[in-house]
Coordinates of all heavy atoms in Angstrom, one line a residue:
M106 N 0.8 -1.2 0.0 CA 0.0 0.0 0.0 C 0.9 1.2 0.0 O 1.9 1.3 0.7 CB -0.9 0.0 1.2 CG -1.9 1.1 1.3 SD -3.0 0.8 2.6 CE -4.1 2.1 2.3
R107 N 0.5 2.2 -0.8 CA 1.3 3.4 -0.9 C 0.4 4.6 -0.5 O -0.7 4.7 -0.9 CB 1.8 3.7 -2.3 CG 2.8 2.7 -2.8 CD 3.2 2.9 -4.2 NE 3.1 4.2 -4.7 CZ 3.7 4.7 -5.8 NH1 4.5 3.9 -6.5 NH2 3.6 5.9 -6.1
Q108 N 0.9 5.5 0.4 CA 0.2 6.7 0.7 C 1.0 7.8 0.0 O 2.2 7.8 -0.1 CB 0.2 6.9 2.2 CG -0.5 5.8 3.0 CD -0.4 6.1 4.5 OE1 0.3 6.9 4.9 NE2 -1.2 5.2 5.2
V109 N 0.2 8.8 -0.5 CA 0.8 9.9 -1.3 C 0.4 11.2 -0.7 O -0.8 11.4 -0.3 CB 0.4 9.8 -2.7 CG1 0.9 11.0 -3.5 CG2 0.8 8.5 -3.4
K110 N 1.3 12.1 -0.5 CA 1.0 13.5 -0.1 C 1.7 14.4 -1.1 O 2.9 14.4 -1.3 CB 1.6 13.8 1.3 CG 1.4 15.2 1.7 CD 2.0 15.5 3.0 CE 1.9 17.0 3.4 NZ 2.6 17.3 4.6
I111 N 0.8 15.1 -1.9 CA 1.3 16.0 -2.9 C 1.9 17.3 -2.3 O 1.3 17.9 -1.5 CB 0.2 16.4 -3.9 CG1 -0.2 15.1 -4.6 CG2 0.7 17.4 -4.9 CD1 -1.4 15.2 -5.5
V112 N 3.2 17.6 -2.6 CA 3.9 18.7 -2.1 C 3.8 19.9 -3.0 O 3.7 21.1 -2.6 CB 5.4 18.4 -1.8 CG1 6.1 19.5 -1.2 CG2 5.5 17.2 -0.9
G113 N 3.8 19.7 -4.3 CA 3.8 20.8 -5.3 C 3.7 20.2 -6.6 O 3.5 19.0 -6.8
D114 N 3.8 21.0 -7.7 CA 3.8 20.5 -9.0 C 4.9 19.6 -9.2 O 6.1 19.9 -8.9 CB 3.9 21.7 -10.0 CG 2.7 22.6 -10.0 OD1 1.7 22.1 -9.6 OD2 2.8 23.7 -10.5
C115 N 4.6 18.4 -9.7 CA 5.6 17.3 -10.0 C 6.4 16.9 -8.8 O 7.6 16.5 -8.9 CB 6.5 17.8 -11.1 SG 5.7 18.3 -12.6
D116 N 5.9 17.0 -7.6 CA 6.6 16.7 -6.4 C 5.7 16.2 -5.4 O 4.6 16.8 -5.1 CB 7.3 18.0 -5.9 CG 8.4 17.8 -4.8 OD1 8.6 16.6 -4.4 OD2 9.0 18.7 -4.4
K117 N 6.0 15.0 -4.8 CA 5.1 14.4 -3.8 C 5.9 13.5 -2.9 O 7.0 13.0 -3.2 CB 4.0 13.6 -4.5 CG 4.5 12.5 -5.4 CD 3.3 11.9 -6.2 CE 3.8 10.9 -7.2 NZ 2.8 10.4 -8.0
F118 N 5.4 13.2 -1.7 CA 5.9 12.3 -0.7 C 5.1 11.0 -0.9 O 3.9 11.0 -1.0 CB 5.8 12.8 0.7 CG 6.7 14.0 1.0 CD1 6.3 14.8 2.0 CD2 7.9 14.2 0.4 CE1 7.1 15.9 2.3 CE2 8.7 15.3 0.7 CZ 8.3 16.1 1.7
V119 N 5.9 9.9 -0.9 CA 5.2 8.6 -1.1 C 5.7 7.7 0.1 O 6.9 7.7 0.4 CB 5.6 7.9 -2.4 CG1 5.0 6.6 -2.6 CG2 5.2 8.9 -3.6
T120 N 4.8 6.9 0.7 CA 5.2 6.0 1.7 C 5.3 4.6 1.1 O 4.3 4.1 0.6 CB 4.2 6.0 2.8 OG1 4.1 7.3 3.4 CG2 4.6 5.0 4.0
W121 N 6.5 4.0 1.1 CA 6.7 2.7 0.6 C 6.6 1.7 1.7 O 7.2 1.9 2.8 CB 8.0 2.5 -0.1 CG 8.1 3.2 -1.4 CD1 7.1 3.7 -2.2 CD2 9.3 3.3 -2.2 NE1 7.6 4.2 -3.4 CE2 8.9 4.0 -3.4 CE3 10.6 3.0 -2.0 CZ2 9.8 4.3 -4.4 CZ3 11.5 3.4 -3.0 CH2 11.2 4.0 -4.2
S122 N 6.0 0.6 1.5 CA 5.9 -0.5 2.5 C 6.9 -1.6 2.2 O 7.1 -1.9 1.0 CB 4.5 -1.1 2.6 OG 3.6 -0.1 3.0
K123 N 7.4 -2.2 3.2 CA 8.3 -3.3 3.0 C 7.5 -4.6 2.5 O 6.4 -4.8 3.0 CB 8.9 -3.7 4.4 CG 9.9 -4.8 4.4 CD 10.7 -4.8 5.7 CE 10.6 -6.1 6.4 NZ 11.4 -6.1 7.6
P124 N 8.1 -5.3 1.5 CA 7.4 -6.5 1.0 C 7.2 -7.5 2.1 O 8.0 -7.6 3.1 CB 8.2 -6.9 -0.1 CG 9.5 -6.3 0.0 CD 9.4 -5.1 0.9
T125 N 6.3 -8.4 1.9 CA 6.1 -9.5 2.9 C 7.1 -10.6 2.8 O 7.4 -11.3 3.7 CB 4.7 -10.1 2.8 OG1 4.5 -10.5 1.4 CG2 3.6 -9.1 3.1
K126 N 7.6 -10.7 1.6 CA 8.6 -11.8 1.3 C 10.0 -11.2 1.1 O 10.1 -10.2 0.4 CB 8.1 -12.6 0.1 CG 9.0 -13.8 -0.2 CD 8.5 -14.5 -1.5 CE 9.4 -15.6 -1.9 NZ 9.1 -16.1 -3.2
C127 N 11.0 -11.8 1.6 CA 12.4 -11.4 1.4 C 12.8 -11.5 -0.1 O 12.7 -12.6 -0.6 CB 13.3 -12.2 2.3 SG 15.1 -11.7 2.1
P128 N 13.2 -10.4 -0.7 CA 13.6 -10.5 -2.1 C 14.9 -11.2 -2.3 O 15.8 -11.2 -1.4 CB 13.6 -9.0 -2.6 CG 13.8 -8.2 -1.4 CD 13.3 -9.0 -0.2
Q129 N 15.1 -11.7 -3.5 CA 16.4 -12.3 -3.8 C 17.5 -11.2 -3.8 O 17.3 -10.1 -4.1 CB 16.4 -12.8 -5.3 CG 16.3 -14.3 -5.4 CD 16.4 -14.8 -6.8 OE1 16.1 -14.1 -7.7 NE2 16.8 -16.0 -7.0
G130 N 18.7 -11.6 -3.3 CA 19.8 -10.6 -3.2 C 20.0 -10.1 -1.8 O 20.9 -9.4 -1.5
L131 N 19.0 -10.3 -0.9 CA 19.1 -9.9 0.5 C 19.1 -11.2 1.3 O 18.3 -12.1 1.1 CB 17.9 -9.0 0.9 CG 17.9 -7.6 0.5 CD1 16.7 -6.9 1.1 CD2 19.1 -6.8 1.0
S132 N 19.9 -11.1 2.4 CA 19.8 -12.2 3.4 C 18.6 -12.0 4.3 O 18.1 -10.8 4.3 CB 21.0 -12.3 4.2 OG 21.1 -11.2 5.1
Q133 N 18.1 -13.0 5.0 CA 17.0 -12.8 5.9 C 17.3 -11.8 7.0 O 16.5 -11.0 7.4 CB 16.5 -14.1 6.5 CG 15.2 -14.1 7.2 CD 14.1 -13.7 6.3 OE1 13.9 -14.2 5.2 NE2 13.2 -12.8 6.8
E134 N 18.6 -11.8 7.4 CA 19.0 -10.8 8.5 C 18.9 -9.4 8.0 O 18.5 -8.5 8.7 CB 20.4 -11.1 8.9 CG 20.6 -12.2 9.9 CD 22.0 -12.4 10.3 OE1 22.8 -11.4 10.2 OE2 22.4 -13.5 10.8
E135 N 19.4 -9.2 6.7 CA 19.4 -7.8 6.1 C 17.9 -7.4 6.0 O 17.6 -6.2 6.2 CB 20.1 -7.8 4.8 CG 21.6 -8.0 4.9 CD 22.2 -8.2 3.5 OE1 21.6 -8.8 2.6 OE2 23.4 -7.7 3.4
F136 N 17.1 -8.3 5.5 CA 15.7 -8.0 5.3 C 15.0 -7.6 6.6 O 14.2 -6.7 6.7 CB 15.0 -9.2 4.6 CG 13.5 -8.9 4.3 CD1 13.1 -8.1 3.3 CD2 12.5 -9.6 5.1 CE1 11.8 -7.9 3.0 CE2 11.2 -9.4 4.8 CZ 10.8 -8.5 3.8
N137 N 15.3 -8.3 7.7 CA 14.7 -8.1 9.0 C 15.1 -6.7 9.5 O 14.4 -6.1 10.3 CB 15.1 -9.2 10.0 CG 14.4 -10.5 9.6 OD1 13.4 -10.5 8.9 ND2 14.9 -11.6 10.1
C138 N 16.3 -6.2 9.1 CA 16.8 -4.9 9.6 C 16.1 -3.7 8.9 O 16.2 -2.6 9.4 CB 18.3 -4.8 9.4 SG 19.2 -5.9 10.5
L139 N 15.5 -4.0 7.8 CA 14.8 -2.9 7.1 C 13.6 -2.4 7.8 O 12.9 -3.1 8.5 CB 14.4 -3.3 5.7 CG 15.5 -3.7 4.7 CD1 14.9 -4.3 3.4 CD2 16.4 -2.5 4.4
P140 N 13.3 -1.1 7.7 CA 12.1 -0.5 8.3 C 10.8 -1.0 7.6 O 10.9 -1.4 6.5 CB 12.2 1.0 8.2 CG 13.1 1.2 7.0 CD 14.0 0.0 7.0
N141 N 9.7 -1.1 8.3 CA 8.4 -1.5 7.7 C 7.9 -0.5 6.7 O 7.3 -1.0 5.7 CB 7.4 -1.7 8.8 CG 7.7 -3.0 9.6 OD1 8.3 -3.9 9.2 ND2 7.3 -2.9 10.9
T142 N 8.2 0.7 6.9 CA 7.8 1.8 5.9 C 8.9 2.7 5.7 O 9.8 2.9 6.6 CB 6.5 2.5 6.3 OG1 6.8 3.2 7.6 CG2 5.3 1.6 6.4
L143 N 8.9 3.4 4.5 CA 9.9 4.4 4.2 C 9.3 5.5 3.4 O 8.6 5.2 2.5 CB 11.0 3.7 3.4 CG 12.2 4.6 2.9 CD1 13.0 5.0 4.1 CD2 13.1 3.9 1.9
I144 N 9.5 6.7 3.9 CA 8.9 7.9 3.2 C 10.0 8.4 2.2 O 11.1 8.7 2.6 CB 8.5 9.0 4.2 CG1 7.4 8.5 5.1 CG2 8.0 10.2 3.4 CD1 7.0 9.4 6.2
V145 N 9.6 8.5 1.0 CA 10.5 9.0 -0.1 C 9.8 10.2 -0.8 O 8.6 10.3 -0.7 CB 10.9 7.9 -1.1 CG1 11.7 6.8 -0.4 CG2 9.7 7.3 -1.8
R146 N 10.6 10.9 -1.5 CA 10.2 12.1 -2.3 C 10.3 11.7 -3.7 O 11.3 11.2 -4.2 CB 11.0 13.3 -2.0 CG 10.5 14.5 -2.6 CD 11.4 15.7 -2.1 NE 11.1 16.9 -2.8 CZ 11.8 18.1 -2.6 NH1 12.8 18.1 -1.8 NH2 11.4 19.1 -3.2
E147 N 9.2 11.8 -4.5 CA 9.2 11.5 -5.9 C 9.0 12.8 -6.7 O 8.0 13.5 -6.5 CB 8.1 10.5 -6.2 CG 8.0 10.2 -7.7 CD 6.9 9.2 -8.0 OE1 6.2 8.7 -7.1 OE2 6.7 8.9 -9.2
I148 N 10.0 13.1 -7.5 CA 10.0 14.3 -8.3 C 10.0 13.8 -9.7 O 10.8 12.9 -10.1 CB 11.2 15.2 -8.0 CG1 11.2 15.7 -6.6 CG2 11.2 16.3 -9.0 CD1 12.5 16.3 -6.2
Y149 N 9.1 14.3 -10.5 CA 9.1 13.9 -11.9 C 9.2 15.1 -12.8 O 8.7 16.2 -12.5 CB 7.9 12.9 -12.3 CG 6.6 13.5 -12.0 CD1 5.9 14.2 -13.0 CD2 6.0 13.4 -10.8 CE1 4.6 14.7 -12.8 CE2 4.7 13.9 -10.5 CZ 4.0 14.5 -11.5 OH 2.8 15.0 -11.3
F150 N 9.9 14.9 -13.9 CA 10.1 16.0 -14.9 C 10.1 15.4 -16.3 O 10.2 14.2 -16.5 CB 11.3 16.8 -14.5 CG 12.6 16.1 -14.4 CD1 13.4 15.9 -15.4 CD2 12.9 15.5 -13.2 CE1 14.6 15.2 -15.3 CE2 14.1 14.8 -13.0 CZ 14.9 14.6 -14.1
Y151 N 10.1 16.3 -17.2 CA 10.1 15.9 -18.6 C 11.4 16.3 -19.3 O 11.9 17.4 -19.1 CB 8.9 16.5 -19.4 CG 7.6 16.0 -18.8 CD1 6.9 16.7 -17.7 CD2 7.0 14.8 -19.2 CE1 5.8 16.2 -17.2 CE2 5.8 14.3 -18.6 CZ 5.2 15.0 -17.6 OH 4.1 14.6 -17.1
I152 N 11.8 15.5 -20.2 CA 13.0 15.8 -21.0 C 12.5 16.0 -22.5 O 12.0 15.1 -23.1 CB 14.1 14.7 -21.0 CG1 14.6 14.5 -19.5 CG2 15.2 15.0 -21.9 CD1 15.5 13.3 -19.4
F153 N 12.8 17.3 -22.9 CA 12.4 17.6 -24.3 C 13.6 17.7 -25.2 O 14.5 18.5 -24.9 CB 11.7 19.0 -24.3 CG 10.4 19.0 -23.5 CD1 10.4 19.6 -22.2 CD2 9.2 18.5 -23.9 CE1 9.3 19.6 -21.4 CE2 8.1 18.6 -23.2 CZ 8.1 19.1 -21.9
I154 N 13.7 16.9 -26.2 CA 14.8 16.9 -27.2 C 14.1 17.0 -28.5 O 13.3 16.1 -28.9 CB 15.7 15.7 -27.1 CG1 16.3 15.6 -25.7 CG2 16.8 15.7 -28.2 CD1 17.1 14.4 -25.5
P155 N 14.3 18.1 -29.3 CA 13.7 18.2 -30.6 C 14.0 17.0 -31.5 O 15.1 16.5 -31.6 CB 14.3 19.4 -31.2 CG 14.8 20.2 -30.0 CD 15.2 19.2 -29.0
G156 N 12.9 16.5 -32.1 CA 13.1 15.3 -33.0 C 12.9 14.0 -32.3 O 12.9 12.9 -33.0
F157 N 12.7 14.0 -31.0 CA 12.6 12.8 -30.2 C 11.3 12.9 -29.4 O 10.8 14.0 -29.1 CB 13.7 12.5 -29.3 CG 15.0 12.2 -30.0 CD1 15.9 13.2 -30.4 CD2 15.4 10.9 -30.3 CE1 17.1 13.0 -31.0 CE2 16.6 10.6 -31.0 CZ 17.4 11.7 -31.3
R158 N 10.8 11.7 -29.0 CA 9.6 11.7 -28.1 C 10.0 12.3 -26.7 O 11.1 12.1 -26.2 CB 9.1 10.3 -27.9 CG 8.5 9.7 -29.1 CD 7.9 8.4 -28.8 NE 7.4 7.8 -30.0 CZ 7.2 6.5 -30.2 NH1 7.4 5.7 -29.2 NH2 6.7 6.1 -31.3
T159 N 9.1 13.0 -26.1 CA 9.3 13.6 -24.8 C 9.3 12.4 -23.8 O 8.4 11.5 -23.8 CB 8.1 14.6 -24.4 OG1 8.2 15.6 -25.4 CG2 8.3 15.2 -23.1
E160 N 10.3 12.4 -22.9 CA 10.4 11.4 -21.9 C 10.1 11.9 -20.5 O 10.5 13.0 -20.1 CB 11.8 10.8 -21.9 CG 12.2 10.1 -23.1 CD 11.6 8.7 -23.1 OE1 11.3 8.1 -22.1 OE2 11.4 8.2 -24.3
Q161 N 9.3 11.2 -19.7 CA 9.0 11.5 -18.3 C 10.0 10.7 -17.5 O 10.2 9.5 -17.6 CB 7.6 11.2 -17.9 CG 7.4 11.6 -16.5 CD 5.9 11.3 -16.0 OE1 5.1 11.1 -16.8 NE2 5.7 11.3 -14.7
V162 N 10.7 11.4 -16.6 CA 11.7 10.8 -15.7 C 11.2 11.0 -14.3 O 10.8 12.1 -13.9 CB 13.1 11.5 -15.9 CG1 14.1 10.9 -14.9 CG2 13.6 11.3 -17.3
S163 N 11.3 9.9 -13.5 CA 10.9 10.0 -12.0 C 12.2 9.9 -11.3 O 13.0 9.0 -11.5 CB 10.0 8.9 -11.6 OG 8.7 9.0 -12.2
L164 N 12.4 10.8 -10.3 CA 13.6 10.8 -9.5 C 13.1 10.5 -8.0 O 12.2 11.2 -7.5 CB 14.3 12.1 -9.5 CG 15.5 12.3 -8.7 CD1 16.7 12.5 -9.6 CD2 15.4 13.4 -7.7
I165 N 13.6 9.5 -7.4 CA 13.2 9.1 -6.1 C 14.4 9.4 -5.1 O 15.5 9.1 -5.4 CB 12.9 7.6 -6.0 CG1 11.9 7.2 -7.0 CG2 12.5 7.2 -4.6 CD1 10.6 7.8 -6.9
T166 N 14.1 10.1 -4.0 CA 15.1 10.5 -3.1 C 14.6 10.5 -1.7 O 13.4 10.5 -1.5 CB 15.7 11.9 -3.4 OG1 16.7 12.3 -2.5 CG2 14.6 13.0 -3.3
T167 N 15.5 10.5 -0.7 CA 15.1 10.6 0.7 C 15.3 12.0 1.2 O 15.1 12.2 2.4 CB 15.9 9.6 1.6 OG1 17.3 9.8 1.4 CG2 15.6 8.1 1.2
I168 N 15.6 12.9 0.4 CA 15.7 14.3 0.8 C 14.3 14.9 0.9 O 13.7 15.1 -0.2 CB 16.6 15.1 -0.3 CG1 18.0 14.6 -0.4 CG2 16.6 16.6 0.1 CD1 18.8 15.2 -1.5
L169 N 13.8 15.1 2.1 CA 12.4 15.4 2.3 C 12.2 16.9 2.6 O 11.1 17.4 2.6 CB 11.8 14.6 3.4 CG 11.9 13.1 3.2 CD1 11.3 12.4 4.5 CD2 11.2 12.7 2.0
D170 N 13.3 17.7 2.8 CA 13.2 19.1 3.2 C 12.9 19.9 1.9 O 13.8 20.2 1.2 CB 14.4 19.5 3.9 CG 14.3 20.9 4.5 OD1 13.3 21.6 4.2 OD2 15.2 21.3 5.3
T171 N 11.6 20.3 1.7 CA 11.3 21.0 0.5 C 11.7 22.5 0.5 O 11.8 23.1 -0.5 CB 9.8 20.9 0.3 OG1 9.1 21.4 1.4 CG2 9.3 19.5 0.0
K172 N 11.9 23.0 1.7 CA 12.4 24.4 1.8 C 13.8 24.5 1.5 O 14.2 25.4 0.8 CB 12.0 25.0 3.2 CG 10.6 25.2 3.4 CD 10.3 25.9 4.8 CE 8.9 26.3 5.0 NZ 7.9 25.2 5.0
A173 N 14.6 23.6 2.0 CA 16.1 23.7 1.8 C 16.4 23.2 0.4 O 17.4 23.7 -0.2 CB 16.8 22.9 2.8
Y174 N 15.7 22.2 -0.1 CA 15.9 21.7 -1.4 C 14.7 21.7 -2.3 O 13.8 20.8 -2.2 CB 16.4 20.2 -1.3 CG 17.7 20.1 -0.5 CD1 17.6 19.8 0.9 CD2 18.9 20.3 -1.1 CE1 18.8 19.7 1.6 CE2 20.1 20.2 -0.3 CZ 20.0 19.9 1.0 OH 21.1 19.8 1.8
S175 N 14.5 22.7 -3.1 CA 13.3 22.8 -3.9 C 13.4 21.8 -5.0 O 14.4 21.2 -5.3 CB 13.3 24.3 -4.5 OG 14.3 24.4 -5.5
T176 N 12.3 21.7 -5.7 CA 12.2 20.7 -6.8 C 13.2 21.1 -7.9 O 13.9 20.2 -8.4 CB 10.8 20.8 -7.4 OG1 9.9 20.5 -6.4 CG2 10.6 19.7 -8.5
L177 N 13.4 22.3 -8.2 CA 14.4 22.7 -9.2 C 15.8 22.5 -8.8 O 16.6 22.2 -9.6 CB 14.1 24.2 -9.6 CG 12.8 24.5 -10.3 CD1 12.6 26.0 -10.5 CD2 12.7 23.8 -11.6
D178 N 16.1 22.7 -7.5 CA 17.4 22.4 -7.0 C 17.9 21.0 -7.2 O 19.0 20.7 -7.5 CB 17.6 22.8 -5.5 CG 17.5 24.3 -5.3 OD1 17.8 25.1 -6.2 OD2 17.2 24.7 -4.1
I179 N 16.9 20.1 -7.0 CA 17.2 18.6 -7.1 C 17.3 18.2 -8.5 O 18.2 17.3 -8.8 CB 16.2 17.8 -6.3 CG1 16.3 18.1 -4.8 CG2 16.4 16.3 -6.6 CD1 15.3 17.4 -3.9
Q180 N 16.5 18.7 -9.4 CA 16.6 18.3 -10.8 C 17.9 18.7 -11.4 O 18.5 18.3 -12.2 CB 15.5 19.0 -11.6 CG 14.1 18.5 -11.4 CD 13.1 19.2 -12.3 OE1 13.4 19.8 -13.3 NE2 11.9 19.2 -11.9

């Protein structure tokens, strides 16, 4: 389940939940050490290159301070 809080244009906080099953590549000990939920910031923007299709890019970060780090600063 994901909870979303919209912060601004193309900027939102998303709560990620830990999966119920340990993924490949992690030991059970490492998996147990992970938090049950993690709040991340999702910033998305568009790349315009003449002659090519416009691409939407999503950037995921744990930098949650929107005053110190604006959307444009992170892009």
Side-chain angles (χ1 to χ4, degrees):
M106 183 172 188
R107 289 174 37 157
Q108 296 177 354
V109 177
K110 178 183 176 189
I111 297 175
V112 180
D114 291 340
C115 305
D116 196 355
K117 59 188 172 184
F118 292 152
V119 179
T120 302
W121 285 351
S122 297
K123 182 169 125 175
T125 55
K126 184 181 172 191
C127 180
Q129 258 184 331
L131 282 181
S132 69
Q133 191 63 44
E134 280 185 22
E135 292 171 325
F136 182 71
N137 292 340
C138 290
L139 295 174
N141 289 329
T142 60
L143 180 66
I144 298 173
V145 295
R146 186 174 174 188
E147 181 180 354
I148 298 169
Y149 57 95
F150 53 95
Y151 298 92
I152 298 175
F153 300 101
I154 300 174
F157 293 89
R158 291 184 183 160
T159 301
E160 292 286 332
Q161 180 180 346
V162 176
S163 292
L164 180 115
I165 307 297
T166 182
T167 55
I168 300 173
L169 302 178
D170 190 348
T171 57
K172 289 186 172 59
Y174 301 97
S175 71
T176 305
L177 294 175
D178 290 339
I179 294 177
Q180 287 182 19

